[in-house]
């Protein structure tokens, strides 16, 4: 019997997975199979062809998926985020690095078995950067992909290394073998800024202060922001993040000059986010209680990113700037969510 052609999404019940599954379901032509420890929520579950409940480290499970499905696209979203990874660095390495290695092997075997390259979409992060101090951060401005690649977090180290692993599988896999085996994995990676969704809240990240502030205010809950008001990193509305993954996945291979692309949309300070949130949700109680250690992590991330390569190579262009993200997406959708 022929295997069924599908898109595989790992970490599907996470924040990006939510948006991606809905978007692929709307498009209608991509049956989706998911792999996650957690089951998808009711409505999302109905949008996918099949859910596999389990770990990306479970090789038997991956073999089963390989035997039943013909996968042309992998969206490997499963990861432990930056704050959580600092508490359990060994587990972070297992999930973020060994897990990614398993999925790259899976994609390689898929490509070898059906004879076409498997497009492998990988979300990396501004956490892959490490700016040495605030002076350097201010001077650096829009950071290019290959600068300041000295992350201070376990998560950042994991992401940066996996970017290289993906490039290895794409271009150099088993380069000494008699037959050419590389090119079966078409690895494409986006370094995301902090992401803000109107329908989910992140868990275990360090850019979480912005989405937490918004969601707390919408629920009339007080919120103590864990970074200084002047803290600045890039952010993006979740629909733009999902569209970017799909646009990069659809880009003609020959247009891509790199395997890793920065993207950005807006980069407000924590104070600017607070002011917009207070204007949108009058009575919001937002205070500041700096967590010096988490602050240190955010301070090591760039204030802005240079995403000119993404714009030139695959037409990246975010729909939401700061104002539109709040007025057209976050505020109306969140109000509805907590009504
Ligand atoms: N936003 C993520 C985090 O804070 C980074 O990718 O961990």
């Amino acid at each position: 019997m022929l295997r069924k052609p599908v898109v595989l999404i790992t970490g599907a019940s996470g924040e990006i997975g939510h948006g991606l599954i809905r978007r692929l379901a709307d498009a209608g032509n991509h049956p989706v199979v998911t792999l996650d420890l957690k089951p998808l929520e009711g409505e999302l579950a109905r949008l996918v062809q099949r859910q596999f409940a389990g770990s990306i480290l479970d090789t038997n499970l991956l073999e089963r998926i390989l035997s039943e499905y013909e996968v042309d696209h992998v969206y490997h979203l499963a990861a432990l985020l930056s704050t959580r990874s600092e508490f359990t660095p060994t587990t972070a390495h297992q999930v973020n690095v060994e897990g990614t290695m398993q999925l790259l092997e899976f994609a390689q075997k898929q490509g070898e078995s059906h004879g076409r390259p498997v497009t492998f979409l990988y979300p990396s992060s501004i956490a892959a950067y490490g700016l040495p101090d605030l002076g350097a951060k201010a001077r650096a401005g829009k950071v290019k992909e290959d600068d300041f690649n000295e992350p201070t977090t376990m998560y950042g180290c994991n992401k940066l290394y996996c970017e290289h692993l993906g490039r290895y599988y794409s271009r150099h896999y088993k380069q000494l073998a008699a037959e050419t085996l590389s090119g079966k994995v078409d690895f494409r990676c986006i370094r995301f800024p902090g992401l803000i969704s109107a329908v989910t809240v992140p868990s275990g990240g360090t850019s979480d202060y912005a989405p937490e502030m918004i969601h707390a205010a919408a629920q009339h809950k007080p919120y103590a922001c864990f970074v200084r008001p002047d803290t600045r990193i890039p952010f993006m509305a979740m629909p733009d993040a999902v569209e970017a993954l799909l646009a990069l996945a659809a880009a003609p291979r020959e247009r891509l000059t790199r395997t890793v692309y920065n993207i950005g949309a807006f980069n407000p300070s924590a104070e600017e986010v607070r002011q917009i949130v207070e204007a949108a949700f009058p009575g919001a109680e937002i205070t500041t209680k700096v967590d010096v250690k988490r602050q240190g992590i955010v301070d090591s991330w760039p204030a802005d990113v240079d995403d000119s390569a993404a714009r030139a190579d695959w037409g990246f262009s975010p729909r939401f700037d700061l104002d539109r993200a709040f007025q057209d997406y976050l505020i109306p959708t969140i109000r509805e969510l907590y009504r």
Side-chain angles (χ1 to χ4, degrees), residues 81-83 124-127 155 159 192-195 204-208 301:
L81 294 186
S82 57
T83 289
S124 183
S125 159
I126 48 167
Y155 171 81
K159 286 289 178 187
F192 282 113
L195 299 179
T206 320
S207 60
D208 295 7
W301 294 349

Side-chain angles (χ1 to χ4, degrees), residues 260-281:
V260 175
Y261 289 92
N262 278 340
I263 61 172
F266 44 84
N267 67 333
S269 66
E271 172 62 15
E272 283 160 3
V273 177
R274 183 181 69 80
Q275 285 174 7
I276 297 176
V277 171
E278 285 183 348
F281 303 101

Side-chain angles (χ1 to χ4, degrees), residues 92-108:
H93 190 275
Q94 278 164 357
V95 174
N96 296 347
V97 176
E98 290 164 33
T100 300
M101 182 71 188
Q102 298 277 13
L103 263 296
L104 285 166
E105 266 302 306
F106 169 87
Q108 177 70 28

Side-chain angles (χ1 to χ4, degrees), residues 316-336:
F316 169 70
S317 173
R319 197 151 65 98
F320 298 106
D321 60 14
L322 178 61
D323 188 54
R324 292 192 63 193
F326 274 86
Q327 303 313 326
D328 299 354
Y329 167 62
L330 291 168
I331 295 169
T333 318
I334 288 179
R335 277 212 184 110
E336 200 56 36

Side-chain angles (χ1 to χ4, degrees), residues 118-131:
V118 173
T119 309
F120 192 109
L121 272 296
Y122 182 67
S124 183
S125 159
I126 48 167
Y129 293 108
L131 284 295

